[in-house]
Amino acid sequence: GAVVSQHPSRVICKSGTSVKIECRSLDFQATTMFWYRQFPKQSLMLMATSNEGSKATYEQGVEKDKFLINHASLTLSTLTVTSAHPEDSSFYICSASSGTYGYTFGSGTRLTVV
Amino acid sequence: QKEVEQDPGPLSVPEGAIVSLNCTYSNSAFQYFMWYRQYSRKGPELLMYTYSSGNKEDGRFTAQVDKSSKYISLFIRDSQPSDSATYLCAMKGSGSARQLTFGSGTQLTVLP
């Protein structure tokens, strides 16, 4: 079946530094990738939608200069949290779509900013 | 009002019980309905996908959709401790819009 690999699974960084999270579709081409943020015991909040080769579409309230998304190929999308602060600490999850209903999620990245 | 409402629980049942999880929605444009299971600190995994009203069965899981009432359910038969997780309903419309709208998730614990 469709597999999405997300790395790293956990990262701790110092306040003010940047962190890059990778999301790869391993056995299919992902025309669209989604990035979510999830707080403890809450549902997934869509941050942005990216289509291969185009700029990402950000949801209202999500700072595009802080959360940089690159979707340079059909199998790779990256989310870079720039100048991270403690309030950016969260669980980030990517999802790749290859068809009408084919949504496969990565295993998530737990970001802790100290 | 949220587009998708889901009772967050927590829900605790004994092993072997039948579990019923439900979501209601307000957007009549939703045409595709999914149930995801999410273990702690992991990404969601797709359990069931349905399009039309009615029932769809897969092993111990049955997904039910009632579009006239804007109500979907997931039933788990013979629940196991390994079913303990958060269950998220998700839905989307047809056409070019691709993002899913999620419920808030129901935390389920199956006690041995």
Side-chain angles (χ1 to χ4, degrees), chain A residues 10 31-32 34 36 38 41-44 46 91 93 97 99-101 103 105-107 110, chain B residues 32 34 36 38 41-46 49 88 92 97-100 102-105 107:
Chain A
R10 182 177 295 186
T31 52
T32 304
F34 305 90
Y36 296 87
Q38 187 177 34
K41 298 190 177 183
Q42 294 189 27
S43 190
L44 286 75
L46 180 64
F91 192 57
I93 308 174
S97 169
T100 304
Y101 63 90
Y103 297 86
F105 286 83
S107 54
R110 180 158 302 280
Chain B
Y32 300 91
M34 286 142 272
Y36 286 87
Q38 185 178 23
R41 302 191 179 190
K42 297 291 183 183
E45 61 175 313
L46 181 66
Y49 157 81
L88 296 151
K92 71 178 288 290
R98 290 206 158 188
Q99 59 260 41
L100 298 176
F102 284 90
S104 56
Q107 185 179 344

Side-chain angles (χ1 to χ4, degrees), chain A residues 1-7 23-29 33 74-75 96:
Chain A
V3 176
V4 172
S5 175
Q6 184 174 345
H7 292 282
C23 182
R24 292 180 183 272
S25 57
L26 297 186
D27 48 5
F28 67 101
Q29 293 183 329
M33 285 196 177
L74 285 170
T75 59

Side-chain angles (χ1 to χ4, degrees), chain B:
Chain B
Q1 182 188 6
K2 291 181 181 178
E3 281 191 295
V4 180
E5 298 278 0
Q6 182 176 6
D7 187 342
L11 181 62
S12 185
V13 302
E15 183 175 354
I18 297 174
V19 176
S20 173
L21 305 168
N22 311 295
C23 287
T24 59
Y25 62 96
S26 57
N27 189 343
S28 58
F30 289 142
Q31 297 295 319
Y32 300 91
F33 305 92
M34 286 142 272
W35 284 96
Y36 286 87
R37 176 174 62 195
Q38 185 178 23
Y39 291 112
S40 181
R41 302 191 179 190
K42 297 291 183 183
E45 61 175 313
L46 181 66
L47 281 177
M48 300 287 284
Y49 157 81
T50 53
Y51 170 68
S52 57
S53 285
N55 294 351
K56 181 177 181 180
E57 190 173 316
D58 184 0
R60 295 185 294 112
F61 299 92
T62 299
Q64 191 174 78
V65 173
D66 182 348
K67 289 186 178 180
S68 62
S69 301
K70 297 189 179 64
Y71 187 88
I72 68 170
S73 300
L74 177 70
F75 298 96
I76 307 174
R77 290 184 299 280
D78 188 24
S79 56
Q80 304 294 311
S82 58
D83 294 328
S84 299
T86 296
Y87 290 80
L88 296 151
C89 64
M91 45 198 80
K92 71 178 288 290
S94 58
S96 59
R98 290 206 158 188
Q99 59 260 41
L100 298 176
T101 301
F102 284 90
S104 56
T106 300
Q107 185 179 344
L108 171 68
T109 301
V110 181
L111 302 171

